[in-house]
Amino acid sequence: MSDAFTREPSWAPRLFPPAARAPRAVQTARMFLDPQGYAGSLRRRFGPVFSLRTSPYRGALVCAAGAAVNRAVLTDHARFEGGDAAALLAPAVGAGSLICTPPPRHLGHRKLLLPSFHGTRIIGWTERVRELVQASLPGLLSGDGVAVRPWAQRLTLDVILRVVLGLEDPARVAAFRHALNSFVGTGNLAVLFLPKPLQRDLGPLSPGGRFHRLRAAVRDLTREEIGTRRAAPDRAHRDDVLSLLLDARDEHGAGLDDAQLLDELTGLVLAGYETTATTIAWTLHLLAHHPAARDDLIADLDSGSDRLLKATVNESGRLRPAVHHAMRTAVHDTELGGHPVPRHAFVAALFSLTHLDPELWPEPGAFRPERHLGTAPVPYSLTPFGGGVRRCIGVSLAQLETETVLREILAAAVPEPAGPLEPARLVSVTIVPARGGRIRLRGRRSHRPD
């Protein structure tokens, strides 16, 4: 069990912000089935700071759902610390990954990784991403009613495997694809939310046993790739993240050893492709259900502009952010929004609720990309990729992928509804469309703007 969970304080109403009285199992189920709706009802009842009594927390998850309290959680490192707060994800991504690295080591690791995602690198990857999108489009355009998220998962995984790991051999790509899809699919990551005894390896048929074997398959492949790349004679001429990290050095001249590289790469791969695929799925699904915004975007793209493209991605990230929250732990007994927060409690900045605050966003439930064409939003009122020094390091790559997908699809076809607007579901820390974001795509020639 992680130290963060063993230190977590037990529930006591006087030590935490207010919480609903519903049993823990009921609150857990409601959060998974309706993360924005249920948490939104608690915000309306208690204000921007409240507690959620959900699994796997033995006490309560302190929730911040407002720009000011989000900013405090994400930037006040003397009170709210990162790293240990991501303990829930450590079995999947690796305890040494940037996601789970506590201060002060986090900043040093981040400095080593940042040059790999610099703007010039992103520009160099643009054509590669576009080629992958074009190659995968027939699989999306051929269906009459198709779930976008599974298609986008395949695409973004291929992008990650080539850009982050630098894979070129089709056999290696296929092996990684199979191992990663098995690891993140069929509810395997739900093991992280089970009681600790059920997370143990109790044999191949146990949930914990299956999790550990699938995880080992992913890590074995990654470990082999690290060894192969270290010996590659052309490494200095490659621009993938793995090759760059092998030569990265900190201010003391120290680089990453194989164990550190393994965790960093696992975190980048797992966190990178799932969230980007979900962003793509939500954006196309929302456009299909908002024809006026869709047709305005198509017209703007046809004119050679990307003004509405970026605004549309921002609005999709506001209304349905792929990441539900960012987690921290309280360094000492403190307060948040006038409520007590005990030492070692888990504290979450709930992006998905702050994005629906009517005081920050008029008509918060409406899909209106044009709202992002004016002045900049209130600081920390729009944080779909997190904020502060722990903001998602791969945000530039995610934006490149999303914008490229939209350009290519909308040049060829028009997304239309293939059923009702889908509700959101919570999978680990990701908000996903309940049926994968189903849409119907019509060729541009047969489309007449509404």
Side-chain angles (χ1 to χ4, degrees), residues 37-170:
Y38 179 56
S41 70
L42 297 179
R43 189 192 191 282
R44 290 190 295 272
R45 179 178 172 185
F46 298 120
V49 179
F50 56 89
S51 295
L52 268 171
R53 298 185 62 209
T54 62
S55 295
Y57 310 103
R58 68 176 183 178
L61 178 63
V62 177
C63 298
V69 289
N70 264 13
R71 184 172 195 159
V73 172
L74 295 172
T75 65
D76 191 343
H77 310 301
R79 293 196 296 149
F80 304 108
E81 186 175 84
D84 278 354
L88 179 68
L89 302 176
V93 300
S97 72
L98 190 68
I99 297 169
C100 300
T101 305
R105 288 190 294 120
H106 175 84
L107 190 57
H109 279 210
R110 191 176 183 87
K111 287 180 178 178
L112 278 175
L113 267 64
L114 268 176
S116 303
F117 293 94
H118 192 271
T120 54
R121 300 288 180 195
I122 298 297
I123 293 172
W125 295 334
T126 300
E127 185 59 28
R128 198 174 314 169
V129 172
R130 192 176 71 84
E131 290 172 357
L132 288 169
V133 172
Q134 289 182 335
S136 66
L137 270 182
L140 184 65
L141 299 177
S142 61
D144 185 19
V146 61
V148 178
R149 187 166 178 264
W151 171 85
Q153 285 174 305
R154 292 189 294 272
L155 167 67
T156 56
L157 178 55
D158 279 353
V159 171
I160 288 289
L161 292 179
R162 285 164 172 79
V163 167
V164 173
L165 295 182
L167 299 183
E168 297 174 351
D169 179 4

Side-chain angles (χ1 to χ4, degrees), residues 5-24:
F5 283 101
T6 59
R7 293 194 302 260
E8 181 193 3
S10 301
W11 168 252
R14 64 182 179 82
L15 298 179
F16 284 85
R21 293 185 178 181
R24 188 180 301 273

